[in-house]
Amino acid sequence: MKIKNRLTYLFAVIVGALLLVFSVSIYFFYAQYRERDFTQRLKVRALTTAQIIVEVEDVDPGLIKLLNAKDKSVLYHEHVVIFLNRKEIFNTGVEKLMISKPVLDKIEKRNEYRFEQNEKEVIGITYSDHNGKYIIIVSGYDKYGFDKLQNLELILLIGWFIFILIVIGLGRFFADRVLSPISEVVSKVDNITASNLSARVQIGESVEQDELHQLAETFNRMLDRIQYAFESQKSFVSNASHELRTPLTSLEGQLEVGLISDRSIDEYKQILSSSLEDLLRLNGLLNGLLDLAQTDTATLDINFGPVRIDELVLTVIDECQRKFPHITISFEYENMPEEEEKLVIQANEQWLKTAVLNVIDNACKYSDNTKVQVLINVTDVWIVIKVIDFGIGIPEKEITKILEPFYRADNTKSIAGHGIGLSLSNKIFKIHKGNIQLFSNLGFGTRVFMALPVAK
Ligand code: ADP
């Protein structure tokens, strides 16, 4: 069911129920009022008859009948029955009113007693004088009152129906008006496709920041993120293809050249070693891409276990030292924590090793200097691994893009690389709820701070 219809029906049900309670209460209170009013009239008739009995010494039933006939206030289907000392002395009306003994007892006991008999309301009162004890009973049908009550019932019923129809109509109208901006948003969203991701939902200029305004803003922000992810993905694929194509083309060229004519063994060796170099480059690139893909799909705690950070860093330094024997890689604790357990965190050891290795490897690779410093600093919250080199540095305007996949700074074109190491390290640190920060001075060196949260 559409929200519009749901709102309308809900509104109608609530208003209908309230109105029904209101109408039933009116009917109920009016019915009570009618009963009280008619009882009062019956009582007045009974008292009037009693007065005649007092004033006229010798009560003549014929006289009462005559007076009743002249009286304009006679009730509809009225009966008057008078008993003197339990003996019926007067009974008038369309049909005879039968009064049982227990009823007479009750009237005598209570002096005034109201009851209903054959749809008629009856009141009995007592009166005593020197002749004895009179019981005067008057009954009648409140035709006027019941007609009014029936009329009221009809008015309330028809009124209720008309009101409900009006409420449904108004509810639909207002729900339509309130929800029309949502329909607008929906139709605009419908027009946004993969090739048209830059389109945005128009946000009104109104000062009032209503929910629809917020919805449109949230939706636009989501589109920003999707567009960014979509474009990164596109550029990732094109960059990856480009990076793969370069060594493959070079490999293809070298093998073709080798096959064109017969060559000396040395020349073949030369071609083979250069091809092997390209293959190794290709292999390195593919491994990097595979790692990137894996970190993308990894769940957070995959293969996590306790890892002691300083030991991991020392292993990595060892590996780099073997690769760059001419560079001195120093290691130092900037501050040694009192409890050594602070150096142990839950991590995926293999990934973390790859991440730290990429950074120390870069420090060595981009240093024309012979020195790289690795420091460990432990605070209450973070373990920070600092890698400091005194190499070529990163141009200031490029430092913000350096963590993007395939991005390589302008000053490193002559040094081999694919530009995926740092972005992979960044992802790995994010998976470990950590982060990487780079500070660099072009021509003076680079500092990379890798922070990991201390285990709780
Ligand atoms: P690669 O080193 O394979 O090019 P990375 O992702 O590891 O890829 O690094 C991306 C870019 O960041 C490098 O091409 C380089 O321009 C810059 N960079 C990273 N580390 C350093 C460093 N220590 N000194 C200078 N430039 C660096």
Side-chain angles (χ1 to χ4, degrees):
M1 198 194 270
K2 279 187 169 180
I3 294 183
K4 189 172 73 179
N5 293 342
R6 220 183 305 162
L7 277 179
T8 309
Y9 295 136
L10 192 72
F11 185 50
V13 166
I14 292 173
V15 175
L18 287 177
L19 204 68
L20 195 69
V21 171
F22 182 67
S23 307
V24 169
S25 316
I26 288 187
Y27 183 84
F28 174 76
F29 287 121
Y30 184 75
Q32 275 198 336
Y33 165 77
R34 185 215 57 78
E35 194 181 297
R36 271 201 311 275
D37 183 58
F38 192 65
T39 306
Q40 190 57 35
R41 282 171 64 199
L42 284 175
K43 205 169 153 186
V44 168
R45 288 294 299 158
L47 286 171
T48 318
T49 313
Q51 246 172 4
I52 294 169
I53 293 168
V54 179
E55 279 163 24
V56 182
E57 235 344 87
D58 219 355
V59 182
D60 175 13
L63 175 71
I64 294 175
K65 248 181 211 162
L66 190 71
L67 284 171
N68 270 350
K70 297 251 177 243
D71 192 348
K72 292 234 166 25
S73 65
V74 168
L75 303 166
Y76 189 74
H77 280 185
E78 185 186 277
H79 275 93
V80 180
V81 186
I82 302 173
F83 289 88
L84 175 60
N85 297 327
R86 286 289 183 127
K87 204 171 142 265
E88 187 181 294
I89 56 163
F90 181 76
N91 195 332
T92 175
V94 183
E95 312 144 7
K96 263 196 152 198
L97 188 66
M98 300 309 293
I99 302 295
S100 63
K101 198 176 161 300
V103 170
L104 285 176
D105 289 344
K106 272 186 192 153
I107 298 171
E108 242 177 12
K109 203 167 151 210
R110 297 183 195 176
N111 288 330
E112 182 182 323
Y113 176 56
R114 181 197 170 280
F115 59 98
E116 278 165 33
Q117 189 170 304
N118 304 333
E119 286 193 333
K120 285 185 181 171
E121 283 153 89
V122 190
I123 195 160
I125 59 167
T126 56
Y127 171 74
S128 303
D129 71 0
H130 61 273
N131 291 324
K133 192 165 191 176
Y134 290 95
I135 295 176
I136 302 144
I137 298 165
V138 181
S139 93
Y141 177 71
D142 187 10
K143 186 174 172 345
Y144 180 66
F146 279 118
D147 279 354
K148 274 214 298 197
L149 199 62
Q150 220 173 10
N151 214 14
L152 180 72
E153 188 184 318
L154 200 69
I155 289 171
L156 289 175
L157 209 68
I158 293 173
W160 187 83
F161 270 114
I162 292 174
F163 205 81
I164 286 297
L165 288 180
I166 292 173
V167 164
I168 291 178
L170 282 178
R172 266 186 164 274
F173 174 72
F174 284 112
D176 240 359
R177 279 193 60 167
V178 170
L179 296 176
S180 75
I182 291 192
S183 314
E184 238 170 81
V185 170
V186 169
S187 77
K188 273 176 191 153
V189 169
D190 250 358
N191 292 329
I192 296 172
T193 59
S195 55
N196 181 25
L197 268 180
S198 53
R200 294 288 178 272
V201 174
Q202 292 296 314
I203 299 170
E205 293 286 295
S206 74
V207 192
E208 206 182 316
Q209 296 265 319
D210 59 12
E211 285 82 352
L212 289 171
H213 195 102
Q214 286 168 6
L215 178 74
E217 267 183 353
T218 312
F219 187 78
N220 282 347
R221 277 202 298 275
M222 187 187 74
L223 274 180
D224 288 345
R225 289 196 296 272
I226 291 179
Q227 189 183 10
Y228 176 75
F230 195 75
E231 272 158 17
S232 321
Q233 201 69 28
K234 263 200 324 204
S235 77
F236 183 88
V237 172
S238 86
N239 283 330
S241 332
H242 176 77
E243 286 291 322
L244 285 169
R245 199 184 306 130
T246 316
L248 277 175
T249 315
S250 147
L251 196 63
E252 191 185 329
Q254 287 178 72
L255 293 176
E256 270 172 5
V257 168
L259 286 173
I260 285 172
S261 57
D262 288 345
R263 290 169 192 275
S264 68
I265 295 203
D266 278 349
E267 278 176 319
Y268 280 127
K269 271 189 180 169
Q270 170 74 40
I271 289 170
L272 279 178
S273 81
S274 152
S275 302
L276 182 67
E277 219 174 85
D278 280 337
L279 271 177
L280 287 175
R281 217 176 126 197
L282 207 58
N283 197 27
L285 175 64
L286 283 174
N287 282 339
L289 285 175
L290 214 64
D291 284 343
L292 262 186
Q294 272 181 350
T295 50
D296 267 345
T297 53
T299 53
L300 277 179
D301 53 356
I302 196 160
N303 285 337
F304 270 37
V307 175
R308 192 167 155 146
I309 295 300
D310 50 350
E311 282 172 10
L312 181 137
V313 171
L314 281 168
T315 322
V316 172
I317 289 177
D318 223 35
E319 209 170 301
C320 285
Q321 195 66 82
R322 265 183 275 132
K323 195 173 163 192
F324 301 95
H326 61 288
I327 291 180
T328 313
I329 309 171
S330 66
F331 174 77
E332 238 180 274
Y333 292 97
E334 246 183 4
N335 62 338
M336 186 65 185
E338 278 169 22
E339 310 121 52
E340 284 187 23
E341 297 81 61
K342 269 199 166 177
L343 285 161
V344 181
I345 65 159
Q346 287 295 316
N348 180 310
E349 186 168 3
Q350 197 47 49
W351 280 357
L352 212 53
K353 221 183 232 177
T354 309
V356 178
L357 183 78
N358 283 339
V359 174
I360 301 182
D361 187 86
N362 277 348
C364 298
K365 197 163 72 173
Y366 299 113
S367 293
D368 38 18
N369 198 286
T370 54
K371 194 168 94 181
V372 168
Q373 289 179 345
V374 181
L375 305 163
I376 287 194
N377 186 309
V378 186
T379 68
D380 283 343
V381 191
W382 299 104
I383 302 174
V384 186
I385 308 162
K386 300 178 177 174
V387 178
I388 301 166
D389 71 64
F390 305 92
I392 58 169
I394 304 167
E396 201 186 331
K397 61 177 177 12
E398 292 185 273
I399 205 145
T400 47
K401 298 185 194 152
I402 223 78
L403 293 174
E404 287 174 15
F406 299 107
Y407 195 87
R408 305 200 69 219
D410 271 347
N411 59 341
T412 50
K413 298 290 180 225
S414 60
I415 305 167
H418 305 294
I420 50 176
L422 270 189
S423 74
L424 177 62
S425 299
N426 186 36
K427 273 194 184 167
I428 293 174
F429 273 94
K430 274 193 180 153
I431 288 174
H432 288 84
K433 299 198 170 70
N435 61 65
I436 294 189
Q437 281 179 301
L438 284 107
F439 309 92
S440 191
N441 274 339
L442 193 61
F444 289 98
T446 306
R447 282 170 298 143
V448 184
F449 290 3
M450 295 168 274
L452 289 162
V454 169
K456 292 264 162 21

